[in-house]
Each structure stands twice: as C-alpha cells, then as structure tokens.
C-alpha cells in the first residue's frame, strides 16, 4: 500500500541526493550508512526501553533506502550489485528493529500492558522471522521466473506501522500501542506469506514449464 508514496518521497529527498552526488558520495555508501544507522538506533535504544528517541534515530536514517536509489538512477550507477546490496541490507535493518524489541522483552523489567514479556518476545521474534520469510518468498519466486509481490503487509507497511506505534508507545508511556502492533504484524505477516505462496502456486499450475 505505502509503496505508492515512494515517488513522492523520492522527490522530497532529491535535493539531498543531488548534493551528495556533487560531493562525490556513492549510492552504495548511502546504503551502508543507512543500514548501520538504523541497526545501531534499534539495537542501542530499544533494548533500554528508549523507544521514542530510538525511533527518531531510526527515522533519520531510514530514508536512505530511497535516497540511494534516486542517486543510482540519477547518476547512471544503477547495477545488479547495487540492487542486491540494497535488498540484502534492507533485511539486516528490518531484522535489527525487531531484534531490538526481542532483546528488550528478554530483559527483566520489560513493561507490558497486555500480557507477559515472554509473549511479546515471541511475537517480536515471529515478526522478525516472518518479515524475512515474506521477502524470501518474493525473491525465490522471481529466481524461478515467477512473481510473488503483494499481500496485506508489504515491507513498507510493516516498517511504518512498527516505527510509528513504537515511537508513540515511548512518547506516551503506553506499551499497549506497541503490543497491539506486534500482534497485528505477526498475524498480517503470516497471512502475507500464505498469500504469496498461493500466488506462486497458481502460476506454477498454469505455467508448469516455469
């Protein structure tokens, strides 16, 4: 759903991308910096329960995923390596966000509103695993000459949901906002994996030669 706004954000960040290109910055460098920034923000602040500032730090770096793509296209540096690096490091950043929550809930003193910490540790882990599985099903299908894009919880939707609600939970000291979101994302991610498997299954039946 939120992928439709990618062009809007590309236009917003285009001036910064142009500046970086004039300074000689490579798109791959932006990809690395963004991933390191997101991962560091999630793994440093989330385990300490500093959710609002953690989300602010992550947000400062998360738009690198759009800036690097714009820079690559604008400078003619788009390549298969760049696309591979970007997709691979996206998985690292996504995993770091949920890993930060896993670590938080594994520690004594983790605050919850809607159940025990162990439950939300498990849900955070489920979101981490299912999020990566969602991406894997698409990549594997495309490697076999098929498509598996779609589903109710694509990457951008999951990322915005967990960051917004985690930030608000920290700002208003309301853990239930984060907990409801973990429930929703775990369920939606599982449904998305099933949807993509059905999409591939239908293609395999109609085109068994693929």
């Amino acid at each position: 759903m939120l992928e439709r706004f990618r062009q809007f954000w590309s236009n917003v960040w285009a001036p910064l991308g142009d500046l970086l290109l004039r300074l000689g910055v490579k798109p791959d460098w932006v990809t690395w910096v963004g991933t390191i920034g997101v991962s560091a923000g999630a793994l440093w602040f989330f385990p300490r329960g500093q959710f609002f500032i953690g989300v602010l730090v992550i947000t400062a770096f998360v738009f690198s995923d759009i800036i690097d793509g714009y820079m690559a296209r604008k400078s003619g540096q788009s390549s298969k390596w760049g696309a591979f690096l970007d997709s691979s490091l996206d998985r690292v950043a996504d995993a770091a966000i949920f890993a930060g929550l896993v670590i938080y809930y594994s520690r004594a003193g983790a605050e919850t509103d809607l159940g025990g910490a162990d439950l939300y540790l498990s849900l955070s882990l489920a979101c981490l695993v299912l999020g990566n599985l969602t991406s894997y099903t698409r990549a594997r299908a495309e490697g076999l000459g098929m498509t598996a894009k779609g589903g109710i919880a694509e990457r951008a939707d999951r990322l915005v949901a967990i960051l917004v609600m985690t930030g608000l939970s920290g700002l208003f000291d309301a853990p239930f906002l984060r907990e409801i979101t973990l429930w929703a994302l775990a369920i939606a991610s599982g449904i998305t994996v099933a949807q993509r498997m059905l999409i591939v299954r239908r293609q395999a039946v109609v085109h068994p030669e693929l």
Side-chain angles (χ1 to χ4, degrees):
M1 180 179 66
L2 294 176
E3 285 294 330
R4 71 187 68 178
F5 297 110
R6 179 171 286 271
Q7 186 58 51
F8 168 78
W9 287 113
S10 292
N11 295 337
V12 169
W13 292 104
L16 177 58
D18 292 336
L19 174 61
L20 293 174
L21 288 172
R22 289 196 296 272
L23 294 174
V25 176
K26 304 295 184 183
D28 287 356
W29 301 356
V30 175
T31 303
W32 278 107
V33 169
T35 300
I36 293 170
V38 169
S39 300
L43 295 175
W44 179 262
F45 292 106
F46 283 6
R48 290 165 173 77
Q50 299 172 321
F51 296 113
F52 183 65
I53 189 172
V55 168
L56 291 181
V57 171
I58 291 169
T59 302
F61 288 97
V62 78
F63 285 106
S64 65
D65 189 42
I66 291 176
I67 297 172
D68 59 3
Y70 169 82
M71 292 172 63
R73 293 188 298 272
K74 183 69 179 291
S75 63
Q77 299 180 56
S78 297
S79 65
K80 290 183 178 180
W81 161 249
F84 172 81
L85 179 68
D86 185 62
S87 295
S88 298
L89 293 185
D90 280 349
R91 306 289 82 75
V92 173
D94 292 356
I97 290 171
F98 288 103
L101 294 175
V102 168
I103 297 171
Y104 170 75
Y105 286 116
S106 71
R107 293 183 170 182
E111 295 183 12
T112 63
D113 283 342
L114 304 177
D118 288 346
L119 172 61
Y120 293 100
L121 186 157
S122 299
L123 285 172
S124 299
L125 185 59
C127 289
L128 189 162
V129 172
L130 290 170
N132 278 283
L133 184 56
T134 299
S135 298
Y136 173 79
T137 54
R138 177 179 174 181
R140 182 57 176 155
E142 291 174 349
L144 294 171
M146 294 181 278
T147 61
K149 188 175 181 179
I152 64 173
E154 296 195 56
R155 178 179 182 260
D157 305 309
R158 297 193 307 272
L159 188 61
V160 170
I162 194 61
L163 290 181
V164 169
M165 299 309 285
T166 296
L168 291 176
S169 74
L171 179 62
F172 297 111
D173 191 23
F176 74 91
L177 295 174
R178 183 175 62 252
E179 293 158 14
I180 291 173
T181 304
L182 287 171
W183 275 107
L185 289 182
I187 294 170
S189 296
I191 293 173
T192 300
V193 171
Q195 287 176 312
R196 292 188 172 186
M197 292 179 70
L198 288 173
I199 290 171
V200 173
R201 173 61 178 166
R202 285 194 291 267
Q203 292 173 80
V205 170
V206 175
H207 303 288
E209 70 279 4
L210 291 176

